[in-house]
C-alpha cells in the first residue's frame, strides 16, 4: 500500500502540458546535456550498449528506470560489470554472494526477473564463483532491458530533452521548421502534444 501511495503521488506530480514537462525535465537533465555532444546522445538511440557504456547515458537511463520503479535491472547489470573487474580471487566469493543475495535469490531485496533455469545455473555458479559466473543472468537481463525499458527510454523526456530540447514542445509551424531534421515533430520518437 505504501508503494502504491508513492506511485500515485508520483503520477499526480506529473505535469500536464508538454511545455511544463520540457522545462521540468531540462532542470533534471541540465548537467548531462552540457557535458555530452549532440552526436554522442544520438548514438544512444542506435543500441543499448552505446547508452549504458557512456557515463551520462547510464545516468540518464538509471534516472528513467528509477522514475518507473524498475532500476533493479540496470543496478544488477552494473554490479556484474564491476564484479568482472575483481582482481583478487579471495574477493570473488563474498562479492558473488552479495550480488546473488541482492538480485537473484528468492528473497532478494531487488530481485531481477530471470527464468528458473537461468536462476538455477547462476545459483550453482555462485557456489564456485568465477569472473563469468553471472554472465548468462546478465545477458538475459540485458536482453530484457533492450526489448522493454530501453525502447520506452527513447520515447521519454529523459532522452528526448537531451537529443532535441525543443522537440518536446510541438505545435507551431515555426517550431516544426526549426526542429532538427533528425527528430522532427512527426517522428515516432517525439510524443505528440494533445
Amino acid at each position: 500500500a505504501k508503494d502504491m501511495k508513492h506511485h500515485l503521488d508520483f503520477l499526480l506530480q506529473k505535469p500536464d502540458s508538454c511545455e511544463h514537462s520540457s522545462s521540468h525535465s531540462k532542470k533534471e537533465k541540465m548537467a548531462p546535456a552540457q557535458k555530452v555532444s549532440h552526436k554522442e546522445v544520438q548514438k544512444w538511440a542506435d543500441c543499448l550498449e552505446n547508452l549504458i557504456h557512456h557515463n551520462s547515458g547510464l545516468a540518464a537511463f538509471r534516472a528513467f528506470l528509477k522514475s518507473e520503479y524498475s532500476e533493479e535491472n540496470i543496478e544488477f547489470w552494473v554490479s556484474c560489470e564491476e564484479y568482472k573487474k575483481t582482481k583478487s580471487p579471495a574477493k570473488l566469493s563474498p562479492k558473488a554472494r552479495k550480488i546473488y543475495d541482492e538480485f537473484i535469490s528468492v528473497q532478494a531485496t531487488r530481485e531481477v526477473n530471470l527464468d528458473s533455469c537461468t536462476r538455477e545455473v547462476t545459483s550453482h555458479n555462485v557456489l564456485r564463483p568465477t569472473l563469468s559466473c553471472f554472465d548468462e543472468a546478465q545477458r538475459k537481463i540485458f536482453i530484457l532491458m533492450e526489448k522493454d525499458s530501453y525502447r520506452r527510454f527513447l520515447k521519454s523526456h529523459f532522452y528526448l530533452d537531451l537529443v532535441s530540447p525543443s522537440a518536446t514542445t510541438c505545435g507551431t509551424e515555426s517550431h516544426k521548421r526549426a526542429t532538427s531534421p533528425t527528430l522532427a515533430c512527426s517522428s515516432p520518437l517525439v510524443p505528440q502534444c494533445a
Side-chain angles (χ1 to χ4, degrees):
K2 194 174 184 181
D3 286 339
M4 183 59 101
K5 182 185 181 316
H6 287 303
H7 186 65
L8 290 173
D9 287 344
F10 175 75
L11 291 174
L12 291 174
Q13 292 174 0
K14 272 191 155 177
D16 292 330
S17 72
C18 288
E19 190 172 307
H20 184 254
S21 173
S22 178
S23 64
H24 174 71
S25 305
K26 284 180 191 173
K27 289 177 193 170
E28 293 172 4
K29 296 286 144 225
M30 201 56 110
Q34 292 172 347
K35 295 178 186 174
V36 183
S37 73
H38 187 260
K39 191 174 183 178
E40 188 64 41
V41 172
Q42 286 179 318
K43 286 181 187 176
W44 299 349
D46 293 341
C47 66
L48 179 58
E49 285 179 358
N50 288 352
L51 174 69
I52 60 180
H53 283 100
H54 190 283
N55 287 339
S56 295
L58 179 60
F61 192 51
R62 271 180 160 153
F64 168 72
L65 291 175
K66 192 169 188 173
S67 78
E68 291 198 333
Y69 303 99
S70 62
E71 69 267 24
E72 66 279 351
N73 289 333
I74 194 64
E75 296 303 332
F76 171 68
W77 187 88
V78 168
S79 294
C80 291
E81 287 297 293
E82 291 170 4
Y83 174 80
K84 290 179 199 177
K85 297 173 187 171
T86 305
K87 303 278 188 219
S88 167
K91 291 182 179 179
L92 285 179
S93 187
K95 283 185 175 185
R97 178 49 60 185
K98 184 175 187 265
I99 292 171
Y100 179 81
D101 289 344
E102 187 174 356
F103 298 104
I104 297 174
S105 79
V106 178
Q107 297 160 343
T109 54
R110 301 191 310 172
E111 185 179 358
V112 292
N113 187 9
L114 292 171
D115 59 90
S116 59
C117 183
T118 305
R119 191 177 303 277
E120 189 176 321
V121 166
T122 306
S123 298
H124 180 73
N125 290 346
V126 170
L127 297 175
R128 289 198 178 116
T130 63
L131 290 177
S132 62
C133 71
F134 293 107
D135 283 0
E136 184 61 18
Q138 185 184 20
R139 188 181 72 77
K140 294 280 176 96
I141 293 303
F142 180 89
I143 291 168
L144 182 70
M145 289 190 297
E146 187 175 45
K147 289 181 177 177
D148 185 35
S149 51
Y150 171 62
R151 291 179 183 179
R152 288 195 313 278
F153 169 78
L154 293 177
K155 296 175 185 176
S156 75
H157 74 82
F158 291 89
Y159 178 70
L160 294 175
D161 284 355
L162 291 173
V163 75
S164 182
S166 62
T168 56
T169 54
C170 305
T172 65
E173 280 303 311
S174 62
H175 170 74
K176 289 180 182 180
R177 285 191 299 271
T179 304
S180 72
T182 55
L183 269 180
C185 283
S186 59
S187 167
L189 293 178
V190 178
Q192 300 299 308
C193 300

